[in-house]
Amino acid sequence: MANEITSANAAQAILKMVATNALPALAANFVMAILVNRNYEADLAKAGDVVNVPIQPELVANNIAESGTVINQNPNLGNSQIVLNQHREASFSINDVVAALTNPGLLQNFMNPAMIAIAEAVETDLLNLYPLFTSNAAVGAASAIDEARIDSAETGLFNAKVPSNEPKYLVTSGAAYGKMRQIGRFSENLTYGSGLPIQTGEVLQVKGFNVFRSQLVPKVGGNNYNLAFVRNAIGLATRRMPLPLPGTGAIAEYAEYPGSGIGMRVTMSYDRSTLSQQFTVDILYGVAVLRNNHAVQVQSND
């Protein structure tokens, strides 16, 4: 029968379904990764490869003397390099492929923990770049976050000549975010705005920063290393990995969408130990500081 469900077409269908749903499920667990410069190209790569990430160049206007000699110039070509030195994977098994095909909720139950694991690995690597931001003086100290240090962080980015039209982000720990909600000028309707955050609990924007919180903000020696930055301060680059060779018993699809700036590989194979189909979602990526002066460490002990 033409519409008969066979093991072959069920395998292809479930693999495509996982690949289609994997990236949205991953993105739903991102904080940092949706804010930074993401670079993805459908080129095959391996761990250790170096990729060039184009960024808007910072130029200095040339001063040309009457003789025609160039007195001052900046040859910045507007790109940076990122090493693809991280290969993360998470696997899960599905005993009844047909049931998962007909019940999307069941598929999500299997897949979401794997996506959370990968998202947390990527987020941790991005947030752990904080010690490399040394161009601007760190603000704050071993005390609760306050309005003054948020103001100082914004001033630091202004003095670093970050374009005024660049969206600015402040990613804090849960504890620091909670303290911000208790700052009187931020929480009261009279001085801050219409019902935010005293009614909703959300600190959406403060001192020009779009504010987010993450459980993965590093805490060292009791201090939270929150981060104020703009998009081109940090780069996240991902590339394709080869598909399994024919005859290996494994099949794979790429999980990638135009404009997302990120891509993964989804591989399905048979796990004899559990008598089920095993799905492995893996991602090859690298993170790096692109512009040192476009971020400020915001320290707090909350």
Side-chain angles (χ1 to χ4, degrees), residues 56 58 154 157-158 160-168 230 232 291 294:
Q56 186 176 358
E58 293 179 312
E154 195 281 334
L157 294 181
F158 174 81
K161 299 181 179 179
V162 170
S164 59
N165 62 346
E166 281 275 336
K168 293 184 284 289
V230 295
N232 280 330
R291 287 204 171 141
H294 279 202

Side-chain angles (χ1 to χ4, degrees), residues 104-121:
L106 181 61
L107 175 62
Q108 293 294 334
N109 287 341
F110 286 115
M111 185 174 61
N112 282 351
M115 296 302 98
I116 291 172
I118 291 179
E120 289 187 349

Side-chain angles (χ1 to χ4, degrees), residues 114-137:
M115 296 302 98
I116 291 172
I118 291 179
E120 289 187 349
V122 175
E123 291 284 297
T124 298
D125 288 334
L126 288 167
L127 286 163
N128 280 339
L129 291 173
Y130 79 89
L132 303 181
F133 289 108
T134 56
S135 181
N136 298 313

Side-chain angles (χ1 to χ4, degrees), residues 45-51 82-87 284-285:
K46 62 183 183 302
D49 284 354
V50 178
V51 299
I82 297 181
V83 180
L84 302 174
N85 58 1
Q86 300 292 338
H87 183 195
L284 175 66
Y285 69 95

Side-chain angles (χ1 to χ4, degrees), residues 177-199:
Y177 193 93
K179 289 294 183 182
M180 288 175 63
R181 288 189 296 207
Q182 298 174 48
I183 298 175
R185 280 166 46 84
F186 294 171
S187 65
E188 294 301 328
N189 194 24
L190 177 64
T191 56
Y192 186 61
S194 180
L196 295 174
I198 196 67
Q199 293 179 8

Side-chain angles (χ1 to χ4, degrees), residues 6-300:
T6 66
S7 59
N9 60 32
Q12 290 292 341
I14 191 65
L15 180 60
K16 288 184 180 296
M17 182 178 287
V18 172
T20 300
N21 288 277
L23 205 52
L26 181 71
N29 293 286
F30 277 153
V31 176
M32 285 292 295
I34 63 173
L35 305 177
V36 303
N37 185 322
R38 298 183 305 281
N39 180 272
Y40 174 75
E41 294 178 7
D43 298 329
L44 291 180
K46 62 183 183 302
D49 284 354
V50 178
V51 299
N52 289 318
V53 176
I55 58 175
Q56 186 176 358
E58 293 179 312
L59 301 178
V60 175
N62 296 333
N63 182 10
I64 302 179
E66 291 183 2
S67 62
T69 303
V70 176
I71 303 300
N72 183 25
Q73 63 178 346
N74 185 341
N76 190 331
L77 298 179
N79 60 57
S80 187
Q81 293 185 328
I82 297 181
V83 180
L84 302 174
N85 58 1
Q86 300 292 338
H87 183 195
R88 306 281 189 175
E89 68 85 20
S91 299
F92 58 95
S93 297
I94 298 179
N95 292 315
D96 190 339
V97 168
V98 175
L101 277 171
T102 57
N103 186 345
L106 181 61
L107 175 62
Q108 293 294 334
N109 287 341
F110 286 115
M111 185 174 61
N112 282 351
M115 296 302 98
I116 291 172
I118 291 179
E120 289 187 349
V122 175
E123 291 284 297
T124 298
D125 288 334
L126 288 167
L127 286 163
N128 280 339
L129 291 173
Y130 79 89
L132 303 181
F133 289 108
T134 56
S135 181
N136 298 313
V139 300
S143 58
I145 197 166
D146 56 15
E147 182 178 352
R149 74 191 65 183
I150 299 171
D151 188 272
S152 295
E154 195 281 334
T155 301
L157 294 181
F158 174 81
N159 289 338
K161 299 181 179 179
V162 170
S164 59
N165 62 346
E166 281 275 336
K168 293 184 284 289
Y169 307 110
L170 174 62
V171 176
T172 75
S173 69
Y177 193 93
K179 289 294 183 182
M180 288 175 63
R181 288 189 296 207
Q182 298 174 48
I183 298 175
R185 280 166 46 84
F186 294 171
S187 65
E188 294 301 328
N189 194 24
L190 177 64
T191 56
Y192 186 61
S194 180
L196 295 174
I198 196 67
Q199 293 179 8
T200 67
E202 295 179 315
V203 183
L204 297 180
Q205 192 173 50
V206 170
K207 300 284 184 178
F209 288 110
N210 299 295
V211 184
F212 300 84
R213 59 179 170 176
S214 170
Q215 302 97 330
L216 303 173
V217 167
K219 188 166 188 174
V220 181
N223 274 9
N224 296 305
Y225 284 84
N226 315 292
L227 195 62
F229 63 99
V230 295
R231 178 176 179 270
N232 280 330
I234 300 172
L236 166 64
T238 59
R239 290 295 185 271
R240 279 184 172 184
M241 291 168 286
L243 296 177
L245 293 174
T248 61
I251 56 177
E253 292 272 354
Y254 293 116
E256 54 195 19
Y257 304 100
S260 68
I262 196 167
M264 301 181 296
R265 180 178 61 179
V266 180
T267 304
M268 184 177 72
S269 57
Y270 185 68
D271 185 354
R272 289 183 176 85
S273 63
T274 60
L275 302 179
S276 62
Q277 297 294 333
Q278 177 173 290
F279 294 82
T280 298
V281 182
D282 60 346
I283 179 172
L284 175 66
Y285 69 95
V287 300
V289 170
L290 299 183
R291 287 204 171 141
N292 195 322
N293 63 339
H294 279 202
V296 178
Q297 294 182 34
V298 182
Q299 300 176 15
S300 65

